[in-house]
Amino acid sequence: MHRAAVPLPTSARTLDAVVQRVKEGSRAWVKRSLPDRIAVLEALRQSYAAIADPSVRAACEAKGIDPDSALAGEEWLAGPLVVLRNLRLLVDALKDIQRRGVPHIPASHVRTLEDGRLAARLYPRDALDGMLLPRNVGEVYFQPGVTASNLREHQASFYREPHGGRVCAVLGGGNVNSIPPADCLYKLFVEGTACVLKMNPVNAYLGPFLEQAFAPLSRMDVFAVVYGGGEEGAALVNHPAVDEVHVTGSDATHDALVWGAPGPQAEARRARDEPLLKKPFTSELGNISPVVVVPGPYSEGELRFQADNIAGMVANNASFNCNAAKLLVQPKTWARRAELVDGVRDCLGRAAVRRAYYPGAAQRWAQFTQGRPDLRLVGTASEGELPYALIADVDPARTDDRVFRQEPWCTVLSETGLPGTDDPVSFLEQVVPFLNTQVWGTLNATLIVHPETLKDPAANAAVERAIRELRYGTVAVNTWPAAAYALVSLPWGGHPTAHRRDIQSGLGWVHNTSMLESIEKAVLRAPLTNLPTPPWVPGHRGTRELGRRLVAFELSPSWLKVPGIAAAALRR
């Protein structure tokens, strides 16, 4: 297969000209009417659809995947599906603004939480929307001060009070190909900000496809793509015509840009809270994504379903996902603890051993696995690949252990048991402070809870309290938080309690097609087991066909397409 060409780094002169051109275009962009913006989005839907297949094939080549295999479905689901759904929901949002002033949230979808704050259901919007993730419900929880009566005042502020034209430097994520376009779409259509996107060297092959797909925006001088590494990224971020910055990457990248090169001077600036980079800065920077198993009366089949679910959270995209499961948390003395760990290991044994395409993965893998007394390796790796590593029974009292402090960003899953009773209420009372204070990251967490447990009033109250108190931007119940990312209707980002001095998973939101503000977190709930099986479960035979059919659905939603989607989803 022909490898997609990677453009050369953008010269300093060209980068300057690009930024100046986009700065000029940004002033006209803010004045464009809603019908104009809708027309642009409709053009983008068609132009992006045209590059869907070739861009997926390029990604498969880069990641060592047969583009005609079921595994290629990962790239369809995490690439074109997300972007085309994003474009469609933005069209709907702008049409709502034309009719109602803000994206519509029915009054029946709004409720008050037990602590008095407001929550709004964003998924599903209707029955047809609900077939994407059957029996899932997605909500947003707001920060204090947002009420049902003033909700409209916390939506789409750019369309009420447009600024005079701004340019955002977007440093694109290198792991998932929907991240760079989705980040730019958020800035352009939710915040009204023009974008200069610097591709990450890992997936710079995607850049020419985005240039083709986003040509309608390029012709308006509100979008451009540049290339290169850290030097070009720093030049873009610090360009005087750039007003703000958005980064998907690592906290190390954030800190180097904000505080300067690592060392005493940077630490002194951080201590004084005197950043070198004073521009507004939003970011999404990874996470040690925990999966918490609340004890309950699980049947063998229910526990196996969730073991497969967790294994899929690890294996997908060779584990190079900011939301990949990285820490399994269970009660130390729970009788089913070892059974679940064994189930995850067995399912990982059915997963393909993948190319470690992200730089530094082998070194990180070695750092996490060397000297571990209870290390279980799964799969036979060839050169350039990494087996799955399951590190069981990590002592939670060793809070300096890297499994709690550093995102592995490779095929490693750790497991720990919290001491105490197997009572769900007592367990959750330990889990919340443990995750909030001892585990690095604020992006997403998963709770696995049996429906019978939720029937007990005290346990149900404890679960709801945990969902509210966990300091994560997304909390998922019985499902992978990546599903919330893929929906696009829900906001995606780190918890707003982070600070630039301790940035964790970052600050700010993307996706968020209802254009909501004063957000605290997103919550996605799913059944304990579901039919069809999630497409991220290793060995799913219909993933590629499912991805292609869902892309076709997002271009033109219709009930007539649902049977084909269901047939592909059921090819377990």
Side-chain angles (χ1 to χ4, degrees):
M1 180 178 173
H2 178 68
R3 183 180 291 273
V6 176
L8 294 173
T10 303
S11 70
R13 177 178 294 181
T14 300
L15 189 145
D16 177 67
V18 165
V19 174
Q20 297 290 359
R21 185 174 71 248
V22 173
K23 181 68 171 183
E24 184 63 30
S26 72
R27 300 184 181 99
W29 176 245
V30 296
K31 299 175 183 177
R32 289 209 168 249
S33 67
L34 285 167
D36 281 353
R37 292 172 183 274
I38 293 168
V40 171
L41 285 166
E42 293 289 10
L44 291 173
R45 293 178 70 199
Q46 299 307 313
S47 57
Y48 194 91
I51 62 97
D53 184 78
S55 67
V56 164
R57 289 184 173 272
C60 288
E61 170 65 21
K63 298 179 181 183
I65 300 170
D66 178 356
D68 297 316
S69 69
L71 195 57
E74 286 186 358
E75 294 304 317
W76 282 99
L77 292 169
L81 171 63
V82 174
V83 178
L84 288 168
R85 180 172 172 81
N86 196 347
L87 289 164
R88 182 171 68 82
L89 294 183
L90 285 171
V91 169
D92 291 347
L94 294 190
K95 288 180 177 178
D96 275 351
I97 292 174
Q98 280 185 305
R99 291 189 294 262
R100 306 169 185 268
V102 295
H104 182 51
I105 299 176
S108 60
H109 290 192
V110 176
R111 68 185 180 102
T112 302
L113 299 170
E114 289 80 354
D115 61 2
R117 291 181 300 134
L118 194 72
R121 193 189 89 193
L122 303 181
Y123 181 85
R125 298 192 304 168
D126 51 40
L128 186 58
D129 195 38
M131 72 88 215
L132 181 63
L133 288 174
R135 302 168 66 201
N136 282 236
V137 175
E139 292 183 300
V140 63
Y141 288 10
F142 292 94
Q143 297 180 33
V146 182
T147 65
S149 60
N150 70 15
L151 177 57
R152 291 172 59 91
E153 299 169 20
H154 297 273
Q155 279 186 276
S157 62
F158 166 74
Y159 292 93
R160 297 195 311 274
E161 298 179 3
H163 49 70
R166 298 178 64 82
V167 173
C168 182
V170 178
L171 304 187
N175 56 325
V176 176
N177 284 353
S178 59
I179 292 174
D183 288 352
C184 291
L185 289 172
Y186 180 81
K187 289 293 180 181
L188 281 155
F189 290 94
V190 178
E191 297 185 352
T193 305
C195 294
V196 179
L197 166 66
K198 190 197 79 66
M199 296 303 300
N200 189 302
V202 176
N203 64 347
Y205 61 83
L206 181 66
F209 295 109
L210 291 181
E211 292 185 64
Q212 178 183 338
F214 280 20
L217 293 166
S218 300
R219 289 192 291 268
M220 300 165 64
D221 292 332
V222 295
F223 173 80
V225 181
V226 297
Y227 300 89
E231 182 179 346
E232 290 78 11
L236 174 62
V237 164
N238 290 290
H239 193 288
V242 165
D243 301 291
E244 58 189 71
V245 180
H246 179 79
V247 174
T248 299
S250 72
D251 58 319
T253 299
H254 169 276
D255 288 350
L257 290 170
V258 173
W259 307 112
Q265 291 184 339
E267 290 309 309
R269 291 188 201 99
R270 190 200 303 261
R272 298 192 304 268
D273 195 19
E274 295 179 359
L276 281 177
L277 184 67
K278 296 180 170 59
K279 299 176 182 181
F281 200 127
T282 55
S283 53
E284 196 262 72
L285 306 171
N287 195 52
I288 300 174
S289 301
V291 180
V292 176
V293 184
V294 179
Y298 301 92
S299 69
E300 182 179 333
E302 289 167 340
L303 210 60
R304 184 169 59 249
F305 181 97
Q306 284 298 335
D308 291 352
N309 189 25
I310 296 165
M313 301 181 201
V314 176
N316 182 274
N317 196 28
S319 217
F320 297 121
N321 289 323
C322 55
N323 44 40
K326 291 300 167 198
L327 180 65
L328 182 57
V329 182
Q330 304 187 81
K332 186 175 183 63
T333 58
W334 186 40
R336 313 291 295 279
R337 179 184 173 193
E339 182 183 349
L340 182 62
V341 173
D342 290 345
V344 174
R345 178 201 60 199
D346 291 346
C347 188
L348 285 173
R350 300 193 296 273
V353 175
R354 305 285 293 276
R355 178 187 295 175
Y357 68 86
Y358 222 91
Q363 292 85 350
R364 289 188 297 274
W365 190 92
Q367 289 173 346
F368 275 84
T369 58
Q370 285 176 351
R372 294 289 179 178
D374 197 351
L375 173 66
R376 309 177 193 186
L377 301 183
V378 184
T380 302
S382 302
E383 185 175 355
E385 300 175 339
L386 289 173
Y388 299 99
L390 209 169
I391 305 171
D393 199 25
V394 180
D395 184 354
R398 293 184 56 189
T399 55
D400 60 343
D401 193 310
R402 71 172 66 244
V403 306
F404 304 128
R405 307 309 306 162
Q406 179 184 342
E407 183 183 22
W409 202 245
C410 60
T411 51
V412 171
L413 173 68
S414 303
E415 186 268 348
T416 191
L418 298 187
T421 69
D422 297 348
D423 172 63
V425 176
S426 301
F427 176 60
L428 286 166
E429 287 174 348
Q430 291 185 78
V431 163
V432 172
F434 176 70
L435 294 187
N436 283 350
T437 63
Q438 302 301 327
V439 178
W440 181 85
T442 62
L443 186 65
N444 57 252
T446 301
L447 297 178
I448 296 173
V449 190
H450 197 281
E452 289 299 316
T453 302
L454 296 175
K455 291 181 180 179
D456 175 71
N460 184 73
V463 169
E464 294 301 323
R465 186 164 55 250
I467 292 171
R468 294 194 305 274
E469 293 180 356
L470 282 168
R471 292 200 291 267
Y472 290 90
T474 296
V475 177
V477 180
N478 294 332
T479 190
W480 188 17
Y485 168 92
L487 283 174
V488 188
S489 47
L490 294 170
W492 182 257
H495 195 269
T497 51
H499 188 276
R500 63 189 175 194
R501 286 181 294 181
D502 182 19
I503 195 62
Q504 300 270 318
S505 298
L507 285 168
W509 304 99
V510 291
H511 298 188
N512 185 26
T513 45
S514 291
M515 306 186 186
L516 299 167
E517 296 147 14
S518 300
I519 299 160
E520 201 258 338
K521 68 178 59 170
V523 180
L524 182 65
R525 303 171 194 259
L528 180 65
T529 63
N530 211 352
L531 193 67
T533 302
W536 53 84
V537 169
H540 196 299
R541 294 183 298 124
T543 308
R544 179 177 178 273
E545 181 65 19
L546 175 63
R548 292 174 64 90
R549 287 184 177 274
L550 285 172
V551 164
F553 174 87
E554 286 300 332
L555 277 170
S556 179
S558 167
W559 282 108
L560 297 176
K561 297 178 180 178
V562 172
I565 292 170
L570 290 167
R571 285 191 63 200
R572 180 67 178 89

